[in-house]
């Protein structure tokens, strides 16, 4: 059992998006866990400081340069070691979740990953972004996309799965058909699962297809379409709350966030400028229509 220290803190929650997934964000100044195991795959990353991890492979120092990957039921122990603080993020993936992730990657089963510590900063960064997004996020398309991309990196770099690229049978015309579907359903919640099933692809294949054809991920592509549609509505004088609903953003703040990324200004400033321009045009039109004396 960990030593009681009021400076220690830990937040634990269960994913609302994917069954069999739970997460933890902890900050320890004292920490000593004896050998134990979880009925789930553990994937963890260090944000600050570090710890010593003991497994059947031996004792290793776990810092922010590595990703910790432990198979379900694998015995392990952790302690602070020389570090005065250990802040980390952890995922716990039950067997049902791993099978769902394998399906999303286009695999029959989830492969064995060579752990326990993987020195790959790009993979570490991918899982950190995923964890932060799953912490307080309402954008399920982005979350699903980050999940697939993080596991794709992990599996194709650090497991015995076939590393040859998955060949997609789709061409530009078929992607255009999917784009038409997205355009017709922008106001609806568009999930990665829904989009991939329409083309009979795995989610991993779908992401690859979008990147090859458009240079964007599905989330970025859909977001751009929503911003474009929002700009069209704002030009007609619709209010922000109404526009965010019409184009599929989950709230007005999300509309503002992505609109500013694309246009460099908030949608409110864009709308004000549009109204001012329309007023100027109307004034000029009235002036031209007045009879001259």
């Amino acid at each position: 059992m960990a030593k009681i220290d009021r400076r220690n803190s830990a937040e634990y929650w269960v994913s609302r998006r994917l069954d069999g997934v739970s997460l933890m964000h902890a900050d320890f100044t004292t920490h000593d866990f004896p050998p134990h195991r979880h009925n789930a795959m553990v994937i963890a990353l260090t944000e600050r400081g570090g710890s010593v991890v003991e497994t059947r492979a031996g004792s290793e120092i776990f810092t922010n340069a590595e990703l910790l990957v432990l198979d379900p039921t694998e015995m392990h122990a952790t302690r602070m070691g020389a570090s005065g603080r250990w802040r980390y993020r952890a995922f716990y993936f039950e067997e049902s979740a791993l099978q769902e992730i394998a399906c999303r990657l286009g695999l029959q089963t989830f492969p064995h990953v060579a752990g326990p510590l993987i020195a790959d900063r790009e993979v570490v960064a991918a899982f950190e972004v995923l964890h932060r997004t799953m912490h307080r996020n309402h954008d399920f398309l982005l979350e699903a996309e980050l999940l697939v991309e993080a596991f794709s990196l992990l599996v194709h770099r650090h497991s015995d799965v076939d590393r040859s690229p998955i060949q997609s049978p789709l061409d530009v015309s078929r992607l255009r058909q999917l784009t038409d579907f997205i355009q017709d359903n922008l106001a609806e919640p568009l999930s990665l699962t829904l989009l991939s099933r329409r083309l009979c692809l795995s989610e991993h294949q779908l992401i690859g297809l979008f990147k090859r054809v458009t240079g964007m991920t599905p989330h970025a592509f859909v977001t751009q379409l929503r911003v474009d549609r929002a700009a069209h509505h704002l030009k007609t004088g619709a209010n922000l709350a109404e526009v965010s609903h019409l184009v599929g953003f989950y709230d007005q703040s999300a509309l503002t966030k992505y609109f500013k990324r694309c246009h460099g200004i908030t949608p409110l400033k864009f709308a004000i400028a549009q109204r001012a321009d329309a007023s100027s045009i109307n004034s000029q039109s009235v002036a031209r229509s007045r009879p001259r004396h």
Side-chain angles (χ1 to χ4, degrees), residues 214-248:
T214 71
M216 306 170 75
T217 65
H219 176 265
F221 185 80
V222 171
T223 298
Q224 183 64 64
L225 293 182
R226 284 176 167 153
V227 168
D228 293 343
R229 184 76 61 83
H232 170 76
H233 286 306
L234 290 172
K235 289 179 180 179
T236 68
N239 64 61
L240 294 185
E242 180 184 7
V243 169
S244 62
H245 173 72
L246 287 173
V247 302

Side-chain angles (χ1 to χ4, degrees), residues 283-293:
S283 297
Q284 293 175 19
S285 177
V286 170
R288 284 195 299 267
S289 66
R290 288 174 181 171
R292 294 184 179 180
H293 297 287

Side-chain angles (χ1 to χ4, degrees), residues 3 15 46 69 90 152 175 201 255 274 284 286:
K3 298 177 182 178
S15 171
T46 293
V69 179
S152 177
L175 185 59
L201 295 176
L255 167 62
Q274 293 297 324
Q284 293 175 19
V286 170

Side-chain angles (χ1 to χ4, degrees), residues 16 23 51 69 98 103 150 282:
R16 295 175 296 170
L23 304 91
S51 68
V69 179
L98 292 176
C103 181
N282 290 335

Side-chain angles (χ1 to χ4, degrees), residues 30-76:
T30 55
H31 174 72
D32 187 6
F33 284 162
H36 64 287
R37 64 185 183 182
H38 302 275
N39 290 319
M41 171 177 276
V42 179
I43 296 182
L45 59 98
T46 293
E47 288 187 309
R48 179 174 177 179
S51 68
V52 176
V53 178
E54 296 178 359
T55 65
R56 286 177 298 176
S59 180
E60 298 181 80
I61 298 176
F62 178 28
T63 69
N64 61 4
E66 300 93 18
L67 189 74
L68 175 66
V69 179
L70 298 169
D71 287 332
T73 73
E74 183 172 349
M75 296 292 292
H76 62 283

Side-chain angles (χ1 to χ4, degrees), residues 126-281:
F127 276 94
E128 181 174 5
V129 171
L130 174 62
H131 197 285
R132 291 180 182 275
T133 302
M134 294 179 72
H135 195 174
R136 294 182 179 90
N137 173 61
H138 302 284
D139 193 332
F140 54 85
L141 175 59
L142 175 61
E143 184 176 303
E145 188 173 278
L146 292 174
L147 178 80
V148 171
E149 291 193 314
F151 271 99
S152 177
L153 273 177
L154 176 65
V155 166
H156 289 278
R157 288 186 180 183
H158 303 285
S159 78
D160 54 4
V161 74
D162 182 10
R163 289 171 174 77
S164 60
I166 301 174
Q167 297 298 318
S168 170
L170 300 177
D171 57 14
V172 174
S173 64
R174 291 202 62 190
L175 185 59
R176 188 177 298 117
Q177 294 175 13
L178 184 60
T179 301
D180 292 339
F181 170 79
I182 293 171
Q183 290 276 22
D184 292 339
N185 294 274
L186 272 181
E188 304 301 323
L190 295 170
S191 69
L192 207 59
T193 300
L194 172 64
L195 297 179
S196 62
R197 285 177 178 174
R198 288 194 66 85
L199 295 182
C200 299
L201 295 176
S202 71
E203 296 179 9
H204 173 64
Q205 289 173 311
L206 182 73
I207 292 173
L209 179 64
F210 265 90
K211 286 183 174 179
R212 290 193 303 274
V213 178
T214 71
M216 306 170 75
T217 65
H219 176 265
F221 185 80
V222 171
T223 298
Q224 183 64 64
L225 293 182
R226 284 176 167 153
V227 168
D228 293 343
R229 184 76 61 83
H232 170 76
H233 286 306
L234 290 172
K235 289 179 180 179
T236 68
N239 64 61
L240 294 185
E242 180 184 7
V243 169
S244 62
H245 173 72
L246 287 173
V247 302
F249 285 115
Y250 49 85
D251 59 21
Q252 189 173 318
S253 64
L255 167 62
T256 299
K257 172 185 175 182
Y258 290 111
F259 195 95
K260 190 173 182 179
R261 284 185 181 180
C262 292
H263 289 272
I265 59 172
T266 66
L268 179 59
K269 287 185 177 180
F270 179 86
I272 291 173
Q274 293 297 324
R275 289 197 293 268
D277 183 57
S279 176
S280 174
I281 292 174

